[in-house]
Amino acid sequence: MAKRDYYDVLGVSKTATKAEIKSAFRKLAKKYHPDISKESGSEEKFKEAEEAYAVLSDDDKRKQYDQFGFNGPQGSGFGGFSGGMDMDDIFSMFG
């Protein structure tokens, strides 16, 4: 599957604030987390949102993404995303 623009994944503009990015991710996490959703393809949608959030919520990674796209500087990429948020991680964001 081809990667989609991280801003499109989260449904935010390129000028979105950190709060808007976090809010958009929370909504998607609630909807697509594999422990909650039984919808076909929800796990992939969750992982896609998780990856987008990991990049866009980090100032340095976001700056690199905005400047160079998915590949990062010199085509090095973002070093792979390990993911792995469980429900405790998601709900701790609401505290």
Side-chain angles (χ1 to χ4, degrees):
M1 169 167 47
K3 285 193 174 207
R4 292 191 311 148
D5 178 78
Y6 290 146
Y7 294 99
D8 289 342
V9 170
L10 296 181
V12 297
S13 72
K14 292 187 185 231
T15 59
T17 65
K18 280 190 161 196
E20 291 170 326
I21 290 168
K22 187 174 187 175
S23 176
F25 173 69
R26 286 178 176 177
K27 288 177 187 174
L28 293 173
K30 283 185 191 179
K31 183 174 182 180
Y32 294 120
H33 195 281
D35 290 345
I36 297 173
S37 178
K38 302 304 175 204
E39 182 179 318
S40 175
S42 63
E43 184 173 355
E44 289 304 313
K45 290 178 184 177
F46 176 77
K47 287 179 183 178
E48 183 180 47
E50 193 175 31
E51 181 177 339
Y53 178 72
V55 172
L56 298 182
S57 66
D58 180 288
D59 290 335
D60 293 331
K61 290 179 184 178
R62 182 177 181 178
K63 184 177 179 182
Q64 285 183 14
Y65 175 73
D66 288 345
Q67 189 170 4
F68 302 105
F70 290 110
N71 293 325
Q74 293 106 23
S76 63
F78 288 101
F81 179 70
S82 62
M85 290 182 114
D86 62 20
M87 288 310 296
D88 289 336
D89 295 329
I90 301 299
F91 290 125
S92 71
M93 294 173 63
F94 296 96

